[in-house]
Amino acid sequence: MKLFVVALIGLAIGIDADTGVFPNSSRQEHRRAEQVTQVFINEFHYDNAGTDQDEFVELAFPSDMFNLNGYYLEFYNGRTGNNHGKRYDTIALSACINGVLSGGKRFCTVNVSKVQNGNNGGDGLALVDPNNLVLQFISYEGTITAVQGAAQGMTSTDIGVQETRTTPIGYSLQLGGTGCALSDFTWQSPSAASKGGVNIDQVMESCGSPTLLPTEFPTTSPPTPFPNNFEGPFFTSENSSENVIIPQPPLPVQEPRTNCPHLESGLLDWHDPTTWGGSLPVAGSDVTLPNNSRVIVRQPISTQLGLITIPVSSELIFGEDPSEISMDVSGFEVEGAMSAGSDTCRLETPLIITLHGSRPVDIATNSREASFKGISITGRLEMHGKRYYKTWSRLAKSVSPGDNFLFLQDEVNWQPGQEIVLVTSAVKDSRDWHQNEELTVGSVALNPVSGVKAVVYLTSSVQYSHVANSGYQAEVGLLSRMITIQGSADDSEPTDPDPLTCSGSARYGDTGRPCSDKELTGFGGHIMVHSGGQGYVEGVELYRMGQTNVLGRYPMHFHVLGNNCEGCYFRDSSVHRSFYRCISVHGTHNTTVSENVAFDVTGYCYYLEDGVEEDNTISFNLAALIHMLGTPATGNGQSTPLALQSETLTLPADVTASGYYITNMHNTIVGNVASGGWAGFAFPVLYSPLGQHRNDNMRPANRLSLLIDGNTAHSTGWWWSHAGAFYFGGSLYYNANDQLVYNAGRDQSHNRKPCLVDKCAEGNCDGYCQLYDQAWNKITNSKTYLVPSVGIGSWSGRMEVVGYEAHDVALGLEALESGFWIDDMLVVCRTGEPWLMPVDASPHRVKGDGFFWYDTGQEHIVSNSTFRNCGFRDGFDHYDTSPTRGCDGNSVNGCHGGSTVFGFLTHSDQFTPELMQATKDLRYEDCGRRFKLHDYRGDTQPSTVSGRNQNWVDVDGTASGLEEPTLIGSGLADAGLWWKIDDNVVHDPDGPLEFIRQNDGPERGLGHIRVEWDPSLHDTVGTSTCGNGQGYPCEAIGRVRHLGSLFANDPGLPMTAQPEIVGPVGGFGWLLTLDGGSPKKLDIRFVEVDASTPLILAIAYPLQTSFTITANAAYCSESEWYSCQESFTPVNSVSEVRNSDGNTYYFDASTGLLYLRVIQPPQTFTGDLTFSGTPEWHLWDNDSPGKWGNGKALGRFSRAGVTLPIQAYGPWLEIVADCVSSSGVYCSDAAPTTSVDPDDVCSVGYTQVSYDKCCNLSTGDCEFPS
């Protein structure tokens, strides 16, 4: 027989705002809440003529309720005898099928089978709310006193009408009358069924109040419908970000429950002694299920048991009991199956499994079996708790201390009495100081006003401020679940708790830190799916789980399953108070970890263990309050002390424990949030896999990103200035002693090198990735906030960062890589929100920088980006005089006095910039200082090679503010007129910088070369001369200046033992002079220059000197297709050199100047068949094909219509002078002083006005080099 029920759900009873309880009210009184409820059984059918058909129950409830999740029906036997008053079925109303809307009510139906017909004493049914409180207990054909279930002790109300064996098919029993609550209606005799809608004799009216989900405890008065300050603005998921799109998890599909294991036939009852051969298992005993059996647990097990073994042929099933099912054991060995619900039948009543066992003293080095205080799965695990959606949300409005309600951006079906975490809005988030709050739900109201999807009333007041503004909003996560698996309170907690009294070096004024030798003995339970097992876990709370420093013993662990667990998942669950990690995906592919909430976790949380894990999905998870093991990694400059594996630090990387540990980027990482931890998302560099996979032929660091989109990190990066909220750095490897080592800083011996070709598969993981095979990892729609270090930090690896927001950060982004594109970026260095920090810390010690250009080996393109409230305010009003520009030094939300929108690293003489930075379409909004040449040693230090060579291609002039194509160069006085090439150059005093208007000349551009003439001198760089900030001397030993009378008296750019030159090209030329004389042999390397902007180099020599000049390719073998060397030929004028293909030279015997055009050559050949049948040299450009048709001949990095050249390593241009040389380095004869002026670059009647222009000052006519 199939019974169908219709229920109306209305205003639920609230709780006292202060105490969370209903004084002087009994549970029985609350069970009688059907007297006033708007949630009720509205119609049902159980009997008809012939075979019973289409039995159902219909329910009615207010239309603004989210669903009936958590409500259920219990069916009671009323027949006389031993079964009178016993429950014979339970049906969760999450399966209720929605019908029509009417009068502010929604109707839903649930089809039911095997409903009893009421003979011999009557039968009944009870409607129970999510807190197991009875809203209705009705019966037909008699009354019932329940002896079990939620209605235990209650007597039913006979509805006074009934169906019989003669009732027509298609009829039902219905409520009739006019109103909105149960008390307004009475039961009517059978009539034609109105399944899913208003009944025949019923008029439904709206009760007019917002719906509150029922509370755990009744109260004499409901909570105030709206808080007194229920006023906007409110932030929704649609307006919660300015620049990025944060994806949302899919809405759950609500369907009738099917395939419920606990409702199937043929099950053996655990509590039936015959299941066990005559007697129930006794306390402390190990229990093995009978072979070929399916055993169900329907009620609590009162004794604590030992190890539960489930044979391959057997299954342990947990049923539903509104009062709770609990089980205490030392562990499970699941060779067969262990089930609680199914993916189409989520458990709607509480199940608690507690794991017991004390920590052995040698556990870190002597691992126990997987079932030791754990659930070992070599068969199949099916755990499916009630679906709560969403598992976490964001605030729609800020919360202040004393508030007892939260406004959320999403509808939630959370229940009264459940625990939630309100995530911090503070800058520091650490065990010793944080502002996360664990709270309890009192009630929930849905959609009370536009812009707010839910209001969560709390049983206690909030202690701290939690922010919601237009840039970011604090998260609220649900910790409670219907199924709980936990470690015992008696033997799980650490025996070495942190006293919270330790201190260390100050961070922004605060010296507090976690004690490094504490919290090392936590020993919770764990779940391990391994050895071919399969795991499907959802709606489960993992509490007091994980075993500190015990390898493989994590709250949830998919262990070395390869591709054999495809489709396995851990989702919409929670992990809190974990002593070691959250979820480990280890040697396993194609799993899903989604919509989980993790809080208060030691060690890395969401964890890809060995680096081989690929094609997994980690999505829509929340991680908060992550604790490091040992001393948090910090250091000076770009390095940190190495961390070594030990008994108290099994994974040395845990000194930087973060919310997400992504050792292999070939996974889908979408919509996640990380709060706290050393970093938020850590992407360490693994040159080889770890653990069981260490001999696998792959390099995890070079695996390409699959999808990394819509992720957020905040309240992190406290412990080191380079610890990015998204941190692409740190290297993990084995040393010579087979000991794991973690370098948290910049490790240039372990770099990420994404490549389209798998070099490991080719047989050499260290193989060179050709330019045409280079790949880029991509991250999109990322957000960081409240980060006192850097938002996104990357030490290596070509990347595209597209769509990025940073709010309240020290530095928006830093990256050290040749080939890095940032597009659609918004950096708001200070939003105006107070920075919540420990009492001794202050934001005025934290920078407010937008972006930093690094000093060498980079190609960075930034496009379509905005900087707001960055840069120090006081004394910097050259571009913006607004009193709110940038940030000042206040202690509430100020910034460091050295803050700038753009910074340049300029401390180094050893490492100097090439052509490596370009921007397009930038915007400044209310910014202070825009530019700063930053030498960390202080502003009083001598200028450096890197400082004088700074350069920048401002493609459209939006960086400089000129709003036209601009070349930016150093404004340091020691650079002379090198960058001040004419009177139209705009000087920026902040950098200082010079802004060159590119359109003022026809061939203006930038060029870079390295000239080498004395190897013994150049070899001293970095060791005794020209250091990297060590203070080594780096004296000028020559000069380079622009040709022409305008620059004749300019000392020019100093040449040092570090012989790199960067400067404006397209002019009359560069004149190089060395103090030691004319170079006997000079090599030119690392050329970067566009073919459209000639780089003319002039060098003075004795008048009778002759030359042999050759261009040489690297890695080249002569063939009929390609040549490897090109000999330059002499020509008769500078003009011929300028207009040549760069394989000629001109020696002016009247001035003693050697002229040649330096072009950027291919790396591996000097001639090809592009223009002839034999290999020939020519002027290569960005369209010239590469060798064998692969890629392009010249290296470049292009994005957003911007191109930067990339120098080729290996090829060189060699100039050998046929002159007498006693030193072997310089010609013995000095270059002559002649009557012909080498700076006479203008025609008669013209005066030089720029490095590339001569004008007739009378007529205004101008000429350019030709």
Side-chain angles (χ1 to χ4, degrees):
M1 185 188 280
K2 296 181 180 177
L3 174 68
F4 133 84
V5 180
V6 182
L8 283 170
I9 302 181
L11 182 64
I13 296 177
I15 65 172
D16 185 277
D18 295 320
T19 66
V21 299
F22 188 157
N24 304 317
S25 176
S26 68
R27 179 177 175 88
Q28 184 69 19
E29 287 174 323
H30 186 54
R31 283 176 169 170
R32 295 302 184 183
E34 72 267 21
Q35 299 300 318
V36 296
T37 188
Q38 295 180 48
V39 180
F40 50 88
I41 300 168
N42 195 48
E43 179 183 2
F44 67 98
H45 167 60
Y46 66 92
D47 199 3
N48 58 254
T51 303
D52 294 335
Q53 296 183 24
D54 194 23
E55 296 174 335
F56 67 86
V57 180
E58 176 188 84
L59 300 116
F61 55 96
S63 60
D64 60 354
M65 284 193 65
F66 187 59
N67 53 38
L68 287 183
N69 283 352
Y71 290 80
Y72 59 96
L73 293 171
E74 290 187 335
F75 296 86
Y76 286 87
N77 191 334
R79 297 181 181 183
T80 57
N82 292 333
N83 290 326
H84 179 86
K86 290 186 177 181
R87 183 185 59 211
Y88 67 86
D89 199 4
T90 301
I91 293 183
L93 293 180
S94 58
C96 207
I97 302 171
N98 282 345
V100 300
L101 292 171
S102 177
K105 299 295 186 295
R106 189 186 304 275
F107 300 84
C108 75
T109 64
V110 58
N111 296 318
V112 188
S113 61
K114 300 180 181 179
V115 176
Q116 297 178 171
N117 281 354
N119 301 325
N120 301 318
D123 293 299
L125 62 159
L127 171 62
V128 189
D129 76 5
N131 296 299
N132 304 322
L133 303 179
V134 177
L135 301 181
Q136 273 179 288
F137 185 21
I138 60 175
S139 58
Y140 43 93
E141 304 184 35
T143 59
I144 305 167
T145 299
V147 298
Q148 62 178 207
Q152 182 176 352
M154 295 177 64
T155 300
S156 67
T157 299
D158 191 329
I159 65 174
V161 295
Q162 64 187 56
E163 295 180 321
T164 69
R165 295 178 184 269
T166 62
T167 298
I169 295 173
Y171 273 48
S172 68
L173 300 177
Q174 307 171 21
L175 286 174
T178 300
C180 69
L182 173 60
S183 58
D184 297 325
F185 304 104
T186 58
W187 288 99
Q188 310 294 311
S189 297
S191 59
S194 57
K195 181 178 180 180
V198 178
N199 296 334
I200 292 175
D201 294 322
Q202 187 178 51
V203 176
M204 192 65 69
E205 297 177 338
S206 174
C207 290
S209 296
T211 300
L212 297 180
L213 295 184
T215 63
E216 182 174 13
F217 303 102
T219 180
T220 53
S221 59
T224 305
F226 306 118
N228 292 331
N229 63 344
F230 202 96
E231 298 177 354
F234 302 114
F235 300 98
T236 69
S237 58
E238 289 75 26
N239 68 1
S240 61
S241 300
E242 291 191 54
N243 220 48
V244 302
I245 299 172
I246 301 297
Q248 300 293 316
L251 285 168
V253 178
Q254 296 190 32
E255 296 178 341
R257 292 211 307 179
T258 59
N259 301 320
C260 299
H262 58 286
L263 298 181
E264 295 176 4
S265 60
L267 305 181
L268 303 179
D269 196 316
W270 180 287
H271 289 85
D272 185 345
T274 61
T275 298
W276 310 104
S279 60
L280 295 176
V282 298
S285 63
D286 293 340
V287 179
T288 299
L289 269 63
N291 288 322
N292 300 303
S293 68
R294 302 182 73 209
V295 177
I296 183 167
V297 179
R298 300 185 188 274
Q299 63 191 63
I301 298 174
S302 59
T303 57
Q304 179 179 325
L305 301 172
L307 176 65
I308 310 300
T309 300
I310 305 171
V312 172
S313 60
S314 299
E315 180 178 7
L316 178 63
I317 299 170
F318 293 94
E320 290 181 310
D321 184 334
S323 62
E324 176 185 298
I325 295 175
S326 61
M327 189 174 191
D328 286 70
V329 299
S330 64
F332 290 90
E333 188 65 61
V334 183
E335 300 166 358
M338 178 170 164
S339 303
S342 71
D343 60 349
T344 58
C345 181
R346 309 281 289 264
L347 288 195
E348 298 283 344
T349 63
L351 167 64
I352 301 176
I353 297 173
T354 303
L355 299 165
H356 296 259
S358 298
R359 182 183 181 101
V361 294
D362 63 344
I363 188 66
T365 56
N366 184 15
S367 180
R368 302 305 195 265
E369 59 275 7
S371 59
F372 184 77
K373 201 174 185 179
I375 303 177
S376 170
I377 311 294
T378 57
R380 186 179 181 92
L381 177 67
E382 296 271 3
M383 303 295 285
H384 306 273
K386 175 178 176 175
R387 179 64 159 117
Y388 291 104
Y389 184 87
K390 301 174 63 175
T391 56
W392 59 273
S393 183
R394 291 180 171 91
L395 291 178
K397 184 179 179 181
S398 292
V399 178
S400 300
D403 288 349
N404 62 353
F405 49 82
L406 309 174
F407 304 133
L408 302 187
Q409 296 181 17
D410 302 283
E411 291 183 348
V412 294
N413 62 335
W414 303 348
Q415 296 177 212
Q418 289 188 311
E419 292 184 353
I420 60 174
V421 57
L422 176 55
V423 178
T424 184
S425 290
V427 179
K428 183 179 181 180
D429 191 56
S430 175
R431 180 182 287 119
D432 65 291
W433 192 96
H434 70 90
Q435 293 189 352
N436 301 281
E437 302 189 53
E438 292 183 74
L439 302 164
T440 302
V441 175
S443 59
V444 177
L446 300 180
N447 298 303
V449 70
S450 177
V452 177
K453 293 297 182 69
V455 178
V456 177
Y457 294 90
L458 307 170
T459 63
S460 60
S461 297
V462 171
Q463 297 183 49
Y464 305 111
S465 296
H466 299 263
V467 174
N469 60 35
S470 61
Y472 56 86
Q473 308 87 39
E475 301 82 14
V476 184
L478 180 66
L479 299 176
S480 300
R481 295 294 188 276
M482 197 58 73
I483 299 175
T484 301
I485 302 175
Q486 62 184 4
S488 167
D490 297 333
D491 50 33
S492 296
E493 290 288 339
T495 57
D496 59 339
D498 192 334
L500 308 180
T501 57
C502 291
S503 61
S505 58
R507 300 296 302 163
Y508 319 111
D510 172 57
T511 59
R513 71 175 188 188
C515 296
S516 60
D517 59 347
K518 299 297 182 182
E519 302 280 345
L520 300 176
T521 56
F523 196 71
H526 76 97
I527 302 172
M528 184 177 187
V529 184
H530 62 108
S531 304
Q534 294 182 314
Y536 305 89
V537 178
E538 56 189 349
V540 175
E541 175 184 354
L542 301 183
Y543 178 56
R544 288 196 298 260
M545 299 285 276
Q547 300 172 1
T548 308
N549 277 318
V550 182
L551 190 66
R553 302 302 185 254
Y554 319 125
M556 185 71 206
H557 185 190
F558 294 103
H559 176 75
V560 193
L561 300 170
N563 289 306
N564 296 321
C565 202
E566 185 171 349
C568 289
Y569 54 76
F570 182 83
R571 63 193 186 196
D572 62 84
S573 297
S574 71
V575 181
H576 61 118
R577 190 59 181 149
S578 169
F579 308 118
Y580 206 37
R581 318 216 183 288
C582 302
I583 300 96
S584 172
V585 178
H586 180 197
T588 303
H589 318 298
N590 297 292
T591 63
T592 297
V593 177
S594 186
E595 297 184 64
N596 301 295
V597 173
F599 171 68
D600 191 11
V601 175
T602 295
Y604 278 104
C605 182
Y606 300 96
Y607 182 69
L608 299 180
E609 188 158 346
D610 281 357
V612 300
E613 300 80 14
E614 296 191 345
D615 299 307
N616 299 286
T617 296
I618 300 175
S619 60
F620 310 114
N621 300 289
L622 171 63
L625 192 58
I626 309 302
H627 309 298
M628 290 143 282
L629 285 165
T631 301
T634 188
N636 297 313
Q638 299 175 353
S639 63
T640 63
L642 297 180
L644 302 179
Q645 186 178 38
S646 68
E647 290 188 17
T648 59
L649 191 63
T650 299
L651 180 78
D654 277 323
V655 297
T656 60
S658 308
Y660 299 81
Y661 179 77
I662 311 299
T663 55
N664 186 318
M665 294 178 69
H666 196 75
N667 290 279
T668 296
I669 317 293
V670 172
N672 303 285
V673 171
S675 174
W678 189 86
F681 294 80
F683 298 82
V685 174
L686 271 63
Y687 256 32
S688 62
L690 306 176
Q692 298 183 36
H693 301 90
R694 64 182 298 184
N695 294 320
D696 289 7
N697 183 37
M698 70 172 300
R699 178 156 291 173
N702 292 353
R703 301 295 289 166
L704 303 182
S705 61
L706 198 57
L707 178 62
I708 303 176
D709 178 70
N711 300 292
T712 300
H714 68 90
S715 306
T716 187
W718 178 266
W719 301 104
W720 189 38
S721 59
H722 294 291
F726 290 79
Y727 186 63
F728 296 84
S731 59
L732 186 61
Y733 54 91
Y734 291 97
N735 64 14
N737 297 322
D738 205 33
Q739 183 182 31
L740 270 177
V741 179
Y742 183 66
N743 182 347
R746 185 185 185 191
D747 182 354
Q748 297 188 67
S749 63
H750 295 87
N751 285 326
R752 196 184 308 273
K753 300 175 183 177
C755 189
L756 296 174
V757 175
D758 187 343
K759 293 298 177 181
C760 294
E762 289 186 342
N764 181 10
C765 290
D766 293 314
Y768 176 70
C769 184
Q770 299 291 338
L771 290 177
Y772 48 81
D773 287 329
Q774 289 180 353
W776 276 258
N777 290 314
K778 186 173 185 177
I779 64 171
T780 54
N781 292 308
S782 307
K783 181 187 285 191
T784 64
Y785 62 91
L786 296 171
V787 181
S789 54
V790 57
I792 296 179
S794 175
W795 293 125
S796 67
R798 291 175 292 274
M799 288 182 63
E800 297 176 342
V801 177
V802 179
Y804 169 50
E805 283 186 33
H807 303 265
D808 286 320
V809 296
L811 175 62
L813 187 149
E814 66 176 353
L816 281 76
E817 183 54 63
S818 174
F820 208 99
W821 179 38
I822 304 104
D823 183 63
D824 195 18
M825 174 173 64
L826 169 66
V827 179
V828 186
C829 295
R830 295 295 186 272
T831 65
E833 292 286 351
W835 278 42
L836 305 177
M837 307 173 78
V839 63
D840 292 330
S842 174
H844 83 271
R845 297 186 174 96
V846 181
K847 291 289 188 69
D849 295 338
F851 186 83
F852 252 75
W853 302 115
Y854 277 79
D855 47 14
T856 195
Q858 314 294 302
E859 276 79 37
H860 290 159
I861 295 174
V862 181
S863 58
N864 185 29
S865 294
T866 300
F867 298 89
R868 183 184 305 154
N869 288 114
C870 296
F872 196 65
R873 175 186 308 156
D874 299 343
F876 299 97
D877 57 359
H878 307 293
Y879 302 98
D880 191 332
T881 59
S882 165
T884 60
R885 68 188 181 278
C887 45
D888 61 15
N890 77 77
S891 60
V892 176
N893 52 22
C895 66
H896 188 277
S899 301
T900 178
V901 179
F902 282 99
F904 305 75
L905 283 191
T906 60
H907 63 274
S908 185
D909 289 306
Q910 180 180 3
F911 301 110
T912 66
E914 305 85 27
L915 307 187
M916 60 184 207
Q917 44 219 30
T919 57
K920 179 182 180 182
D921 192 17
L922 299 186
R923 294 166 293 279
Y924 302 97
E925 297 179 359
D926 220 16
C927 287
R929 184 175 190 171
R930 291 191 181 182
F931 311 104
K932 181 183 180 182
L933 301 184
H934 177 69
D935 186 335
Y936 71 85
R937 300 170 302 169
D939 296 335
T940 61
Q941 297 293 319
S943 71
T944 60
V945 179
S946 63
R948 297 187 293 266
N949 277 0
Q950 285 297 332
N951 65 94
W952 176 351
V953 179
D954 180 13
V955 172
D956 56 1
T958 53
S960 61
L962 298 186
E963 304 300 326
E964 62 178 288
T966 303
L967 306 175
I968 298 178
S970 172
L972 292 173
D974 290 350
L977 299 179
W978 184 243
W979 297 102
K980 301 176 185 178
I981 49 94
D982 59 33
D983 290 341
N984 283 339
V985 170
V986 176
H987 179 69
D988 163 71
D990 293 354
L993 298 171
E994 309 292 350
F995 302 151
I996 302 171
R997 301 178 189 273
Q998 193 170 3
N999 288 342
D1000 281 4
E1003 296 178 326
R1004 290 187 171 185
L1006 294 174
H1008 166 264
I1009 58 175
R1010 176 183 173 91
V1011 293
E1012 298 176 348
W1013 65 92
D1014 185 352
S1016 63
L1017 172 67
H1018 305 316
D1019 287 346
T1020 65
V1021 172
T1023 58
S1024 59
T1025 67
C1026 301
N1028 188 30
Q1030 303 99 319
Y1032 296 154
C1034 194
E1035 304 299 329
I1037 54 176
R1039 300 277 174 171
V1040 59
R1041 67 170 176 85
H1042 297 292
L1043 280 168
S1045 58
L1046 185 64
F1047 303 94
N1049 296 321
D1050 175 32
L1053 187 72
M1055 291 296 300
T1056 70
Q1058 212 297 22
E1060 307 262 351
I1061 307 173
V1062 183
V1065 297
F1068 293 105
W1070 296 351
L1071 176 61
L1072 173 66
T1073 58
L1074 301 175
D1075 294 349
S1078 304
K1080 169 69 175 177
K1081 178 177 177 293
L1082 185 138
D1083 292 342
I1084 300 175
R1085 303 177 185 273
F1086 306 148
V1087 180
E1088 292 178 331
V1089 65
D1090 191 85
S1092 65
T1093 58
L1095 192 169
I1096 306 301
L1097 179 65
I1099 309 171
Y1101 278 95
L1103 290 180
Q1104 304 304 316
T1105 307
S1106 60
F1107 303 92
T1108 301
I1109 303 177
T1110 55
N1112 304 274
Y1115 318 113
C1116 182
S1117 298
E1118 292 280 349
S1119 71
E1120 59 184 298
W1121 300 281
Y1122 295 99
S1123 59
C1124 301
Q1125 188 177 77
E1126 176 75 9
S1127 295
F1128 281 34
T1129 58
V1131 293
N1132 297 315
S1133 68
V1134 176
S1135 178
E1136 288 183 78
V1137 170
R1138 183 183 191 89
N1139 292 286
S1140 74
D1141 288 341
N1143 60 345
T1144 65
Y1145 67 92
Y1146 169 59
F1147 184 61
D1148 188 340
S1150 64
T1151 62
L1153 290 185
L1154 171 69
Y1155 296 88
L1156 65 158
R1157 179 179 182 180
V1158 181
I1159 70 167
Q1160 184 167 342
Q1163 181 183 39
T1164 60
F1165 59 95
T1166 59
D1168 59 22
L1169 304 182
T1170 300
F1171 298 108
S1172 69
T1174 57
E1176 284 190 356
W1177 175 282
H1178 59 90
L1179 182 62
W1180 286 271
D1181 59 25
N1182 287 329
D1183 294 323
S1184 300
K1187 200 169 189 177
W1188 310 116
N1190 293 316
K1192 301 297 183 181
L1194 303 183
R1196 94 289 308 279
F1197 177 54
S1198 298
R1199 292 293 188 277
V1202 181
T1203 297
L1204 288 171
I1206 299 178
Q1207 63 192 18
Y1209 289 86
W1212 76 101
L1213 177 63
E1214 181 181 81
I1215 303 171
V1216 179
D1218 182 14
C1219 66
V1220 176
S1221 173
S1222 59
S1223 65
V1225 176
Y1226 302 101
C1227 297
S1228 299
D1229 294 333
T1233 299
T1234 66
S1235 59
V1236 179
D1237 185 359
D1239 285 315
D1240 188 6
V1241 295
C1242 299
S1243 300
V1244 176
Y1246 284 75
T1247 301
Q1248 188 177 17
V1249 296
S1250 182
Y1251 86 117
D1252 64 347
K1253 185 190 302 186
C1254 297
C1255 293
N1256 185 307
L1257 301 183
S1258 298
T1259 65
D1261 293 337
C1262 296
E1263 63 181 11
F1264 300 91
S1266 61

